[in-house]
Amino acid sequence: MRIPQFLLVLGLTGFAAFAQDIDPNNQPKFDDIMYRRGNTYRAASGVPGPEYWQNRADYSIEAELDDVSNTIKGKLTMTYYNNSPQDLPYIWMYVEQNRFTEESRGTLTTPIRGNRYSGDTDGGLTVTGVTAKTKGDASNKYLINDTRMQVFFNEPVKAKGGKAVVSMNFEFKIPQAGMDRMGRLTTEGGTTYSIAQWYPRVAVYDDVVGWNTDPYLGAGEFYVEYGDFDYKVTVPYNHIVVGSGELVNAKEVLTKKEQERWEQAKNSDKTVFLISPEEAGNTTITRPVQNGKVTWHFKMKNTRDVAFASAKNFIWDAARINLPSGKKSMAQSAYTSDDDGNEAWGRSTEYVKGSIEFYSKTYYEFPYPNAVNVASNVGGMEYPGLSFCGAGSKGGELWDVTDHEFGHNWFPMIVGSNERRYAWMDEGFNTFINYYSSTAFNNNEYPSSIAKSRAHVPWLKSRYRESIATYPDIARSMNLGYTAYYKPATGLIMLREYVLGHERFDYAFKQYIKTWAFKHPQPSDFFNAMDNAAGENLNWFWRGWFTNNDNIDLGISTVSQEKEGYIITFTNKGSLPMPVVFKVTYDDNTSDEHSLPVEIWQRGNEWRHYFKTTKKIKSLELDPGRFIPDINISDDTWTKE
């Protein structure tokens, strides 16, 4: 189409007049963010591609706990499956107990005054008897560097289905202060052992970076492969062990009465004692044998990890978890008389059951046979099917930590993201779903403040704030709660309640969970999945809220009455554009809500909107639901003088 001559002349005149003053539009805010093009492994629609692959590891472990020397000794046999397109001459494993030494990278990068991730420094892992075999002769060659262990093969593990078997013995001293992730709690009747990161486990080899070998420093959690676990824990005869997965030798380790109570609990929506407060610590009643050692045997399928706890004075209770498919699981709690009572851990199993049932119904069905809560010296830490929560927690605090830790069974236990780099993909997503779980539990017994977005404004205005995209081990300690938890959760609440609406958001979010269940998504996969399933280009949102430090500052600058309505001038003084949701209140005290799309900000930061009405407007208010953390609310309202 030819451009009319007069328009061309007019345009050139304009260019000449303002050649020195360029007034750019806002297209860069809406441009593509990061490299999000699809390939055969990961589709641009945010789903695994036709040639997506991931490796797998099955574990068989036999371990023994010594409650005199406070040590764990064990033997591990791992079968590794290489589904990648490359032959692998070696594999990398994590030996995270090496974090608890004076010379570990984690210790040497801990501030002098310490932080949550300070821990004992007199530990470390001893590894012996290493063998690594594909075909032919086994190799004994390995190299340990800090919290990583490289295991070499005489012949590579073949691509696309090759298998290797790695075995070794391991031993470590159980730290008392285990970086708030594991450790020993002294109670009136004995010691509670919370055991995690307790065996060498293989790192992830993926199509994005190859081997993921980021060291275990502290704040960055885990990124490990899925597989089946068969593990046995030998303890003194008077100990009770609870663990991830299914207890497969209950008849050997439980009394007949405990077995009967177990069957009762499997069919009860109310909490049933397996070991009552009166019985706890009385081993003549609670233990089937009265001397020596006992081995507890657990199995768990398609999980990325396992953990367990052991004590001789556990109160132990349980109740049935009802799942949408009709399957049943079991909520359990293990605690001591120090923390008993209906205001404290006496309600723990009720909390576990409520949490698991909500997430199963709302997002994706819980896949494990048990969900166990342990009263621990750990303030709150999650593992598949088992969590450690602060023994002193009560009431709303205990609900919050229990709900949060069991929410992690969805992120990252089911959706297996890389916690060591992208804490927001598990902590943030989990904090987001916690808001809705808390609202639903027992008629909102413990109201959540997560959705109070304006409470975060002081941090959002701080010069020391950091981006959500900041790796957890790099983020300042004061910022981690926001970068990993609150800011991403607030962003998703905004996306659901303010930008997309429930129907579009919920479909897209659940599709993301479904397609990446038991797989390894990257941030770009999440962004692509949400954009495609919701049918919305959200580049402006992902860039401004998730990767940059942009803020929201919408306003109303002028309102003028016209013949059949009003001209309302909205402004965007912030660096993050947002749709405009506004409430109109009329002189007759009726009101309604209206919205303008985010595209009004593509050309500039001021928008004149003609609002047609025959009524007289008394006042205007931006974001009446208080879902966006506008950093300056002084111009968010207008009232007729």
Side-chain angles (χ1 to χ4, degrees):
M1 184 176 67
R2 292 174 58 195
I3 300 175
Q5 188 68 28
F6 79 92
L7 286 179
L8 186 60
V9 172
L10 187 63
L12 291 174
T13 303
F15 288 146
F18 299 102
Q20 303 304 313
D21 299 314
I22 297 176
D23 187 12
N25 59 35
N26 284 331
Q27 180 175 320
K29 296 181 185 296
F30 293 82
D31 278 343
D32 289 343
I33 172 178
M34 69 174 53
Y35 188 89
R36 290 166 60 184
R37 298 175 188 173
N39 55 44
T40 57
Y41 303 137
R42 298 168 189 268
S45 60
V47 301
E51 296 182 29
Y52 175 83
W53 57 267
Q54 68 186 50
N55 293 347
R56 178 181 177 86
D58 296 337
Y59 294 84
S60 176
I61 310 171
E62 296 181 4
E64 182 173 338
L65 184 154
D66 186 328
D67 65 348
V68 176
S69 62
N70 293 320
T71 57
I72 294 278
K73 293 182 180 180
K75 177 177 176 59
L76 171 147
T77 301
M78 180 191 71
T79 304
Y80 185 75
Y81 301 89
N82 178 20
N83 298 315
S84 80
Q86 295 86 35
D87 291 351
L88 300 177
Y90 58 85
I91 62 172
W92 281 98
M93 301 183 73
Y94 278 111
V95 284
E96 285 147 344
Q97 284 296 320
N98 280 346
R99 169 63 175 80
F100 302 104
T101 64
E102 289 186 354
E103 298 302 316
S104 74
R105 293 192 187 191
T107 298
L108 295 174
T109 55
T110 298
I112 292 175
R113 283 186 262 180
N115 57 23
R116 176 186 173 186
Y117 306 105
S118 302
D120 291 1
T121 57
D122 60 347
L125 190 74
T126 300
V127 171
T128 59
V130 176
T131 63
K133 184 175 182 179
T134 51
K135 292 180 179 180
D137 294 336
S139 167
N140 306 115
K141 184 180 178 182
Y142 67 94
L143 178 153
I144 292 179
N145 178 269
D146 192 55
T147 56
R148 291 78 52 89
M149 176 179 181
Q150 190 174 22
V151 179
F152 301 90
F153 300 102
N154 286 336
E155 296 182 26
V157 192
K158 292 298 183 183
K160 298 183 178 180
K163 185 172 75 170
V165 177
V166 176
S167 63
M168 67 190 74
N169 303 313
F170 62 92
E171 180 179 351
F172 65 90
K173 177 185 175 184
I174 302 167
Q176 181 168 3
M179 292 171 49
D180 207 23
R181 295 214 170 101
M182 63 169 299
R184 311 192 312 264
L185 172 68
T186 301
T187 69
E188 186 175 345
T191 299
T192 297
Y193 295 91
S194 302
I195 307 299
Q197 294 114 255
W198 56 285
Y199 59 93
R201 48 188 180 174
V202 74
V204 171
Y205 181 75
D206 62 25
D207 61 289
V208 182
V209 301
W211 284 107
N212 288 261
T213 57
D214 296 333
Y216 180 41
L217 300 178
E221 292 183 347
F222 313 112
Y223 190 35
V224 286
E225 295 287 15
Y226 290 94
D228 296 341
F229 284 73
D230 184 321
Y231 68 104
K232 297 176 181 178
V233 181
T234 299
V235 294
Y237 77 92
N238 54 1
H239 274 234
I240 297 104
V241 179
V242 292
S244 298
E246 179 185 6
L247 176 64
V248 296
N249 68 334
K251 291 182 179 179
E252 298 174 19
V253 297
L254 302 182
T255 66
K256 288 185 178 180
K257 180 176 285 188
E258 289 162 359
Q259 294 174 51
E260 291 170 359
R261 291 172 177 176
W262 184 281
E263 292 302 314
Q264 181 185 350
K266 284 171 61 176
N267 298 293
S268 174
D269 286 320
K270 293 188 178 296
T271 301
V272 174
F273 282 117
L274 306 177
I275 297 176
S276 71
E278 294 74 27
E279 296 166 337
N282 187 344
T283 56
T284 59
I285 296 176
T286 64
R287 298 297 83 227
V289 297
Q290 298 301 309
N291 56 67
K293 300 173 182 178
V294 175
T295 298
W296 296 63
H297 187 184
F298 298 87
K299 291 184 179 181
M300 197 172 191
K301 290 186 175 296
N302 203 26
T303 179
R304 43 178 267 165
D305 198 7
V306 290
F308 68 92
S310 183
K312 60 186 178 183
N313 57 327
F314 273 150
I315 300 169
W316 190 11
D317 62 37
R320 175 179 65 192
I321 295 173
N322 302 299
L323 300 174
S325 67
K327 293 180 180 178
K328 308 297 178 188
S329 183
M330 184 98 91
Q332 302 175 42
S333 297
Y335 50 101
T336 70
S337 59
D338 299 37
D339 307 297
D340 187 20
N342 199 47
E343 296 302 313
W345 277 77
R347 291 188 67 186
S348 168
T349 292
E350 176 193 351
Y351 297 160
V352 175
K353 173 180 166 66
S355 181
I356 298 289
E357 288 182 348
F358 175 83
Y359 298 130
S360 294
K361 178 180 67 176
T362 308
Y363 300 108
Y364 189 96
E365 184 165 292
F366 184 67
Y368 306 126
N370 294 293
V372 187
N373 204 13
V374 180
S376 172
N377 64 322
V378 178
M381 186 59 201
E382 73 284 352
Y383 299 94
L386 181 142
S387 295
F388 302 134
C389 293
S393 299
K394 298 180 179 180
E397 180 187 359
L398 181 57
W399 158 259
D400 286 344
V401 68
T402 299
D403 182 49
H404 181 79
E405 303 313 332
F406 282 95
H408 273 301
N409 281 277
W410 281 262
F411 308 102
M413 307 310 169
I414 293 173
V415 182
S417 58
N418 184 345
E419 301 175 89
R420 196 152 289 178
R421 291 191 178 189
Y422 311 116
W424 60 272
M425 293 184 75
D426 73 292
E427 298 294 359
F429 289 8
N430 186 28
T431 304
F432 164 70
I433 64 175
N434 296 160
Y435 167 67
Y436 295 99
S437 176
S438 291
T439 302
F441 178 73
N442 205 21
N443 295 316
N444 202 19
E445 180 180 1
Y446 302 119
S448 171
S449 62
I450 294 171
K452 293 182 178 178
S453 61
R454 293 186 180 180
H456 306 315
V457 168
W459 182 80
L460 292 170
K461 294 168 70 174
S462 168
R463 61 178 292 195
Y464 299 109
R465 74 186 189 276
E466 294 171 289
S467 163
I468 288 173
T470 308
Y471 290 171
D473 286 313
I474 295 174
R476 296 182 178 94
S477 297
M478 62 180 284
N479 286 338
L480 187 61
Y482 283 97
T483 59
Y485 296 74
Y486 298 120
K487 189 178 181 185
T490 300
L492 293 183
I493 290 171
M494 279 195 290
L495 203 56
R496 183 176 193 262
E497 303 290 347
Y498 188 89
V499 178
L500 294 177
H502 292 188
E503 186 174 6
R504 294 170 72 200
F505 179 91
D506 290 350
Y507 176 76
F509 194 61
K510 284 189 274 192
Q511 280 295 111
Y512 166 72
I513 297 172
K514 180 181 178 181
T515 56
W516 288 102
F518 308 105
K519 296 181 177 69
H520 297 312
Q522 297 291 314
S524 57
D525 297 317
F526 173 68
F527 298 152
N528 284 339
M530 294 299 293
D531 281 12
N532 280 268
E536 193 75 28
N537 183 341
L538 295 166
N539 283 327
W540 55 273
F541 186 74
W542 307 131
R543 172 182 286 102
W545 193 257
F546 279 82
T547 67
N548 291 354
N549 262 325
D550 297 348
N551 276 325
I552 302 166
D553 186 4
L554 301 179
I556 303 168
S557 61
T558 62
V559 179
S560 60
Q561 188 171 0
E562 300 294 321
K563 215 170 199 182
E564 294 183 356
Y566 292 79
I567 293 179
I568 307 169
T569 302
F570 296 101
T571 59
N572 176 27
K573 299 176 184 177
S575 47
L576 172 59
M578 287 292 287
V580 175
V581 176
F582 61 101
K583 178 181 177 181
V584 182
T585 301
Y586 304 97
D587 276 352
D588 61 5
N589 290 323
T590 60
S591 63
D592 46 38
E593 288 188 15
H594 303 269
S595 63
L596 298 173
V598 72
E599 286 82 5
I600 64 173
W601 307 122
Q602 285 182 327
R603 299 186 187 92
N605 294 319
E606 184 175 276
W607 184 258
R608 298 173 74 243
H609 173 63
Y610 177 60
F611 185 80
K612 188 174 182 179
T613 181
T614 57
K615 290 184 176 184
K616 302 291 185 182
I617 294 179
K618 181 166 70 174
S619 64
L620 299 170
E621 179 184 7
L622 295 180
D623 183 28
R626 302 289 193 272
F627 291 115
I628 63 173
D630 194 308
I631 62 169
N632 176 22
I633 61 172
S634 64
D635 56 358
D636 284 7
T637 57
W638 173 88
T639 303
K640 180 178 69 175
E641 294 181 2

